[in-house]
Amino acid sequence: MDCIWAPWRSVYVGGSHGEGCVFCQKLQSDEDEANLVLLRGDKTIVLMNLYPYNNGHLLIMPKRHVADIEDLTGEEATELVLMTQKMVKVLRIFNPEGFNVGANIGKAAGAGVPGHFHIHVVPRWGGDTNFMPVIGNVRVISESLEVTFKKLKESLKILQ
């Protein structure tokens, strides 16, 4: 059996996740870089996925703790869509060939944090579903989260 090192996962796999919503905890903290929080809007927040499917995988969510898209106010829904549009533009610095944009609503639909509605934005490249994830059940992320975070923050400065 081949071993692929992913030491950053030990924090999640072996650690305590605490009480309450992990997203709300990040919202209440002012340590944005440590929490991978890229941007705070009036009604929404953007953060990098700690366990990304691909490099640059982002999560966009309302600041208010709501579980379902039906629970969003009109203002929250509008800002979520506008923030998603902005993040797609920011992620273009990586020259992706496409994007997956969507939400998993409820645990049965694959929501990892089913209590706090969020939208995934995943940059995609031809060949990113090679043998590693298909046969080896392993994802290879080409860049550290910290380096990606810094690149995205720089790209945000240019867009604003």
Short mmCIF file of all heavy atoms in Angstrom, two decimals, residues 70-108:
data_model
loop_
_atom_site.label_atom_id
_atom_site.label_comp_id
_atom_site.label_asym_id
_atom_site.label_seq_id
_atom_site.Cartn_x
_atom_site.Cartn_y
_atom_site.Cartn_z
N GLU A 70 -34.02 28.02 2.05
CA GLU A 70 -35.35 28.61 2.23
C GLU A 70 -35.39 29.57 3.41
O GLU A 70 -36.30 30.40 3.50
CB GLU A 70 -36.39 27.52 2.44
CG GLU A 70 -36.54 26.59 1.26
CD GLU A 70 -37.36 25.37 1.61
OE1 GLU A 70 -38.61 25.47 1.55
OE2 GLU A 70 -36.76 24.34 1.97
N ASP A 71 -34.43 29.45 4.32
CA ASP A 71 -34.40 30.30 5.51
C ASP A 71 -33.68 31.62 5.29
O ASP A 71 -33.66 32.48 6.17
CB ASP A 71 -33.73 29.55 6.67
CG ASP A 71 -34.48 28.29 7.06
OD1 ASP A 71 -35.73 28.27 6.92
OD2 ASP A 71 -33.82 27.33 7.50
N LEU A 72 -33.06 31.80 4.12
CA LEU A 72 -32.33 33.04 3.83
C LEU A 72 -33.28 34.20 3.60
O LEU A 72 -34.35 34.03 3.00
CB LEU A 72 -31.47 32.87 2.58
CG LEU A 72 -30.36 31.84 2.64
CD1 LEU A 72 -29.74 31.67 1.25
CD2 LEU A 72 -29.30 32.22 3.66
N THR A 73 -32.89 35.38 4.04
CA THR A 73 -33.64 36.57 3.69
C THR A 73 -33.29 36.93 2.25
O THR A 73 -32.30 36.43 1.69
CB THR A 73 -33.26 37.76 4.60
OG1 THR A 73 -31.90 38.13 4.33
CG2 THR A 73 -33.45 37.44 6.07
N GLY A 74 -34.06 37.80 1.65
CA GLY A 74 -33.75 38.25 0.30
C GLY A 74 -32.40 38.92 0.22
O GLY A 74 -31.64 38.73 -0.74
N GLU A 75 -32.06 39.71 1.23
CA GLU A 75 -30.76 40.39 1.26
C GLU A 75 -29.62 39.39 1.36
O GLU A 75 -28.58 39.55 0.70
CB GLU A 75 -30.71 41.38 2.42
CG GLU A 75 -31.64 42.56 2.24
CD GLU A 75 -31.82 43.36 3.53
OE1 GLU A 75 -31.67 42.78 4.64
OE2 GLU A 75 -32.12 44.55 3.43
N GLU A 76 -29.77 38.36 2.19
CA GLU A 76 -28.73 37.33 2.32
C GLU A 76 -28.56 36.57 1.01
O GLU A 76 -27.43 36.34 0.56
CB GLU A 76 -29.08 36.35 3.44
CG GLU A 76 -28.95 36.92 4.83
CD GLU A 76 -29.57 36.04 5.90
OE1 GLU A 76 -30.53 35.29 5.62
OE2 GLU A 76 -29.09 36.11 7.06
N ALA A 77 -29.67 36.19 0.40
CA ALA A 77 -29.61 35.44 -0.85
C ALA A 77 -28.94 36.27 -1.95
O ALA A 77 -28.11 35.75 -2.70
CB ALA A 77 -31.02 35.01 -1.28
N THR A 78 -29.30 37.53 -2.03
CA THR A 78 -28.70 38.41 -3.04
C THR A 78 -27.20 38.53 -2.84
O THR A 78 -26.41 38.38 -3.78
CB THR A 78 -29.36 39.80 -3.00
OG1 THR A 78 -30.75 39.66 -3.31
CG2 THR A 78 -28.71 40.76 -3.98
N GLU A 79 -26.78 38.77 -1.60
CA GLU A 79 -25.35 38.93 -1.34
C GLU A 79 -24.60 37.61 -1.57
O GLU A 79 -23.47 37.61 -2.04
CB GLU A 79 -25.08 39.44 0.08
CG GLU A 79 -23.62 39.80 0.29
CD GLU A 79 -23.33 40.50 1.59
OE1 GLU A 79 -24.05 41.45 1.95
OE2 GLU A 79 -22.33 40.10 2.24
N LEU A 80 -25.23 36.47 -1.26
CA LEU A 80 -24.60 35.17 -1.52
C LEU A 80 -24.29 35.00 -3.01
O LEU A 80 -23.21 34.57 -3.38
CB LEU A 80 -25.48 34.03 -1.04
CG LEU A 80 -25.31 33.60 0.40
CD1 LEU A 80 -26.46 32.69 0.83
CD2 LEU A 80 -23.98 32.91 0.62
N VAL A 81 -25.25 35.34 -3.84
CA VAL A 81 -25.04 35.19 -5.30
C VAL A 81 -23.98 36.17 -5.79
O VAL A 81 -23.09 35.81 -6.55
CB VAL A 81 -26.36 35.35 -6.07
CG1 VAL A 81 -26.11 35.43 -7.57
CG2 VAL A 81 -27.30 34.21 -5.76
N LEU A 82 -24.06 37.42 -5.34
CA LEU A 82 -23.07 38.41 -5.76
C LEU A 82 -21.67 38.05 -5.27
O LEU A 82 -20.68 38.22 -5.99
CB LEU A 82 -23.47 39.81 -5.27
CG LEU A 82 -24.73 40.38 -5.93
CD1 LEU A 82 -25.13 41.70 -5.24
CD2 LEU A 82 -24.52 40.59 -7.41
N MET A 83 -21.57 37.52 -4.05
CA MET A 83 -20.28 37.11 -3.51
C MET A 83 -19.75 35.89 -4.28
O MET A 83 -18.54 35.80 -4.54
CB MET A 83 -20.42 36.79 -2.02
CG MET A 83 -19.10 36.70 -1.30
SD MET A 83 -18.16 38.26 -1.21
CE MET A 83 -18.91 39.02 0.21
N THR A 84 -20.63 34.98 -4.65
CA THR A 84 -20.22 33.81 -5.44
C THR A 84 -19.66 34.28 -6.78
O THR A 84 -18.61 33.81 -7.23
CB THR A 84 -21.41 32.85 -5.64
OG1 THR A 84 -21.87 32.43 -4.35
CG2 THR A 84 -21.03 31.65 -6.47
N GLN A 85 -20.35 35.20 -7.41
CA GLN A 85 -19.89 35.76 -8.69
C GLN A 85 -18.50 36.39 -8.53
O GLN A 85 -17.60 36.17 -9.34
CB GLN A 85 -20.91 36.79 -9.16
CG GLN A 85 -20.61 37.41 -10.49
CD GLN A 85 -21.67 38.46 -10.83
OE1 GLN A 85 -22.09 39.26 -9.98
NE2 GLN A 85 -22.10 38.46 -12.08
N LYS A 86 -18.31 37.15 -7.47
CA LYS A 86 -17.03 37.80 -7.22
C LYS A 86 -15.92 36.77 -6.98
O LYS A 86 -14.80 36.92 -7.48
CB LYS A 86 -17.17 38.72 -5.99
CG LYS A 86 -15.92 39.49 -5.66
CD LYS A 86 -16.20 40.46 -4.51
CE LYS A 86 -15.05 41.41 -4.31
NZ LYS A 86 -15.40 42.51 -3.42
N MET A 87 -16.22 35.71 -6.24
CA MET A 87 -15.21 34.70 -5.94
C MET A 87 -14.81 33.90 -7.18
O MET A 87 -13.66 33.51 -7.32
CB MET A 87 -15.68 33.77 -4.82
CG MET A 87 -15.78 34.45 -3.46
SD MET A 87 -14.22 35.21 -2.92
CE MET A 87 -14.55 36.94 -3.17
N VAL A 88 -15.75 33.66 -8.07
CA VAL A 88 -15.40 33.01 -9.34
C VAL A 88 -14.40 33.88 -10.09
O VAL A 88 -13.39 33.39 -10.60
CB VAL A 88 -16.66 32.72 -10.19
CG1 VAL A 88 -16.30 32.36 -11.62
CG2 VAL A 88 -17.48 31.60 -9.55
N LYS A 89 -14.64 35.18 -10.11
CA LYS A 89 -13.73 36.11 -10.77
C LYS A 89 -12.35 36.08 -10.10
O LYS A 89 -11.32 36.05 -10.77
CB LYS A 89 -14.31 37.53 -10.73
CG LYS A 89 -13.53 38.53 -11.56
CD LYS A 89 -14.19 39.90 -11.51
CE LYS A 89 -15.40 39.92 -12.41
NZ LYS A 89 -15.94 41.26 -12.61
N VAL A 90 -12.31 36.06 -8.77
CA VAL A 90 -11.05 36.01 -8.04
C VAL A 90 -10.29 34.72 -8.33
O VAL A 90 -9.08 34.72 -8.52
CB VAL A 90 -11.31 36.16 -6.51
CG1 VAL A 90 -10.08 35.79 -5.70
CG2 VAL A 90 -11.75 37.57 -6.18
N LEU A 91 -11.01 33.61 -8.38
CA LEU A 91 -10.37 32.30 -8.60
C LEU A 91 -9.79 32.14 -10.00
O LEU A 91 -9.00 31.24 -10.26
CB LEU A 91 -11.35 31.18 -8.31
CG LEU A 91 -11.62 30.93 -6.82
CD1 LEU A 91 -12.85 30.06 -6.64
CD2 LEU A 91 -10.40 30.32 -6.15
N ARG A 92 -10.14 33.02 -10.90
CA ARG A 92 -9.60 32.94 -12.26
C ARG A 92 -8.09 33.16 -12.30
O ARG A 92 -7.44 32.82 -13.28
CB ARG A 92 -10.32 33.92 -13.18
CG ARG A 92 -11.78 33.50 -13.40
CD ARG A 92 -12.30 33.94 -14.73
NE ARG A 92 -13.71 33.62 -14.84
CZ ARG A 92 -14.20 32.47 -15.31
NH1 ARG A 92 -13.38 31.53 -15.71
NH2 ARG A 92 -15.49 32.27 -15.38
N ILE A 93 -7.50 33.66 -11.20
CA ILE A 93 -6.03 33.80 -11.16
C ILE A 93 -5.34 32.45 -11.31
O ILE A 93 -4.18 32.39 -11.69
CB ILE A 93 -5.53 34.50 -9.87
CG1 ILE A 93 -5.80 33.66 -8.63
CG2 ILE A 93 -6.07 35.89 -9.75
CD1 ILE A 93 -5.03 34.09 -7.41
N PHE A 94 -6.04 31.36 -11.00
CA PHE A 94 -5.48 30.02 -11.11
C PHE A 94 -5.70 29.41 -12.50
O PHE A 94 -5.33 28.27 -12.73
CB PHE A 94 -6.06 29.10 -10.04
CG PHE A 94 -5.71 29.51 -8.64
CD1 PHE A 94 -6.70 29.82 -7.73
CD2 PHE A 94 -4.39 29.59 -8.23
CE1 PHE A 94 -6.38 30.20 -6.44
CE2 PHE A 94 -4.06 29.97 -6.94
CZ PHE A 94 -5.06 30.27 -6.04
N ASN A 95 -6.35 30.16 -13.38
CA ASN A 95 -6.65 29.70 -14.75
C ASN A 95 -7.39 28.36 -14.80
O ASN A 95 -7.01 27.47 -15.55
CB ASN A 95 -5.35 29.61 -15.58
CG ASN A 95 -4.69 30.96 -15.73
OD1 ASN A 95 -5.34 31.93 -16.08
ND2 ASN A 95 -3.41 31.02 -15.42
N PRO A 96 -8.46 28.23 -14.04
CA PRO A 96 -9.23 26.99 -14.13
C PRO A 96 -9.96 26.91 -15.47
O PRO A 96 -10.21 27.93 -16.11
CB PRO A 96 -10.23 27.11 -12.97
CG PRO A 96 -10.41 28.57 -12.79
CD PRO A 96 -9.07 29.20 -13.13
N GLU A 97 -10.29 25.70 -15.85
CA GLU A 97 -11.03 25.48 -17.10
C GLU A 97 -12.53 25.45 -16.86
O GLU A 97 -13.31 25.41 -17.81
CB GLU A 97 -10.54 24.18 -17.73
CG GLU A 97 -9.07 24.25 -18.11
CD GLU A 97 -8.53 22.89 -18.54
OE1 GLU A 97 -9.25 22.12 -19.21
OE2 GLU A 97 -7.38 22.60 -18.18
N GLY A 98 -12.93 25.46 -15.60
CA GLY A 98 -14.34 25.44 -15.25
C GLY A 98 -14.51 25.55 -13.74
O GLY A 98 -13.52 25.65 -13.00
N PHE A 99 -15.77 25.53 -13.30
CA PHE A 99 -16.08 25.63 -11.87
C PHE A 99 -17.26 24.72 -11.54
O PHE A 99 -18.16 24.56 -12.36
CB PHE A 99 -16.50 27.05 -11.50
CG PHE A 99 -15.39 28.06 -11.57
CD1 PHE A 99 -15.17 28.77 -12.74
CD2 PHE A 99 -14.57 28.30 -10.48
CE1 PHE A 99 -14.15 29.70 -12.83
CE2 PHE A 99 -13.55 29.22 -10.57
CZ PHE A 99 -13.34 29.93 -11.74
N ASN A 100 -17.24 24.17 -10.34
CA ASN A 100 -18.44 23.59 -9.75
C ASN A 100 -18.91 24.59 -8.71
O ASN A 100 -18.13 25.01 -7.85
CB ASN A 100 -18.16 22.25 -9.06
CG ASN A 100 -17.86 21.14 -10.04
OD1 ASN A 100 -16.81 20.52 -9.98
ND2 ASN A 100 -18.78 20.88 -10.95
N VAL A 101 -20.17 24.99 -8.79
CA VAL A 101 -20.77 25.90 -7.83
C VAL A 101 -22.06 25.25 -7.35
O VAL A 101 -22.91 24.92 -8.18
CB VAL A 101 -21.08 27.28 -8.46
CG1 VAL A 101 -21.79 28.18 -7.47
CG2 VAL A 101 -19.80 27.94 -8.97
N GLY A 102 -22.18 25.06 -6.04
CA GLY A 102 -23.40 24.44 -5.55
C GLY A 102 -23.44 24.29 -4.05
O GLY A 102 -22.50 24.66 -3.34
N ALA A 103 -24.54 23.73 -3.58
CA ALA A 103 -24.76 23.54 -2.15
C ALA A 103 -25.29 22.14 -1.89
O ALA A 103 -26.06 21.61 -2.69
CB ALA A 103 -25.77 24.57 -1.64
N ASN A 104 -24.85 21.57 -0.79
CA ASN A 104 -25.37 20.30 -0.31
C ASN A 104 -26.27 20.62 0.88
O ASN A 104 -25.78 21.02 1.93
CB ASN A 104 -24.23 19.37 0.13
CG ASN A 104 -23.23 19.14 -0.99
OD1 ASN A 104 -23.61 19.01 -2.14
ND2 ASN A 104 -21.96 19.12 -0.64
N ILE A 105 -27.56 20.46 0.71
CA ILE A 105 -28.51 20.85 1.75
C ILE A 105 -28.97 19.60 2.48
O ILE A 105 -29.66 18.75 1.93
CB ILE A 105 -29.71 21.61 1.15
CG1 ILE A 105 -29.20 22.86 0.42
CG2 ILE A 105 -30.71 21.97 2.23
CD1 ILE A 105 -30.25 23.58 -0.40
N GLY A 106 -28.54 19.47 3.73
CA GLY A 106 -28.88 18.31 4.56
C GLY A 106 -27.82 17.24 4.50
O GLY A 106 -27.08 17.12 3.53
N LYS A 107 -27.73 16.48 5.56
CA LYS A 107 -26.71 15.44 5.68
C LYS A 107 -26.83 14.39 4.58
O LYS A 107 -25.82 13.94 4.02
CB LYS A 107 -26.82 14.79 7.07
CG LYS A 107 -25.64 13.94 7.41
CD LYS A 107 -25.65 13.53 8.87
CE LYS A 107 -24.33 12.85 9.17
NZ LYS A 107 -23.87 13.09 10.50
N ALA A 108 -28.05 14.01 4.23
CA ALA A 108 -28.25 12.99 3.19
C ALA A 108 -27.74 13.47 1.83
O ALA A 108 -27.37 12.66 0.98
CB ALA A 108 -29.73 12.62 3.08
#
